[in-house]
Amino acid sequence: MYPKNRLEALTDGIFAVAMTLLVLDLRIPDEIGRPTDEASLVHALWALTPKLIPYLLSFYLLGVSWLSLIKVRSRSEFVGAGYARWCLLYLLFVTLLPFSTVVMGRFTAYAAATALYAANIGLVAATGFLLMSVLPDPVRDAHWLDRRVSLVVLFASCILTIVLSFITPGNALWALALNLAAGPTARVYALFARAA
């Protein structure tokens, strides 16, 4: 048995570092050179857009994942080895997100970059779902259901993004916008679950 609060502390630290590392690739591209006037600075900042969009998506995903994770509660103060292993695998995928974000930001037009990015996010979602499944003595409240539905929607949107990346790599990330429907989907699911 492992103290749950120690895993939570590790998780907090890894999320903080991963969210901070995301920003390190936001630099004015070398091929633009050093801006010499206002117009060239605006042009250089505009050239960051391909890197900025994956950065914002990744920061949002990590922030929402962390906030959701801290709301998931367990009545137990200790966790078993199975939960600890899933937690470490989950954190592995979280730590890889800055790398896949850099690849996505630098090679936006390539299907492999989009597929790698979506696969990384999908693995975060899948292991997050499995982590919740092995959580000892969870409090199965409205947040629990909302989090599980959100993770399923995130995983499905990542699969769609991967498929679309080989058809239209420049537009495939738009499939992640399906996550905006996660909250309403969870509420509809809860209504049907209560009625049944």
Side-chain angles (χ1 to χ4, degrees), residues 35-70:
T36 56
D37 58 16
E38 187 88 24
S40 63
L41 177 60
V42 170
H43 173 71
L45 291 173
W46 184 253
L48 284 175
T49 304
K51 292 182 179 182
L52 189 61
I53 292 170
Y55 163 77
L56 293 173
L57 275 171
S58 298
F59 191 89
Y60 174 77
L61 169 77
L62 288 173
V64 168
S65 295
W66 181 77
L67 289 172
S68 295
L69 198 59
I70 63 174

Side-chain angles (χ1 to χ4, degrees), residues 21-31 47-55 98-114 116-117 173:
L21 288 176
L22 287 173
V23 78
L24 294 180
D25 195 50
L26 289 180
R27 295 185 295 263
I28 293 175
D30 293 333
E31 60 272 7
L48 284 175
T49 304
K51 292 182 179 182
L52 189 61
I53 292 170
Y55 163 77
F99 168 73
S100 65
T101 301
V102 167
V103 172
M104 182 66 219
R106 290 184 183 175
F107 306 105
T108 308
Y110 296 119
T114 305
L116 173 70
Y117 182 68
L173 284 181

Side-chain angles (χ1 to χ4, degrees), residues 8-29:
E8 290 168 345
L10 176 65
T11 300
D12 290 348
I14 286 179
F15 268 88
V17 170
M19 292 171 83
T20 302
L21 288 176
L22 287 173
V23 78
L24 294 180
D25 195 50
L26 289 180
R27 295 185 295 263
I28 293 175

Side-chain angles (χ1 to χ4, degrees), residues 9 22-23 30 39 53 63 79 81 112 124 132-133 137 164 170 178 186:
L22 287 173
V23 78
D30 293 333
I53 292 170
V79 295
V124 169
M132 289 182 67
S133 299
D137 201 16
L164 289 175
L178 290 173

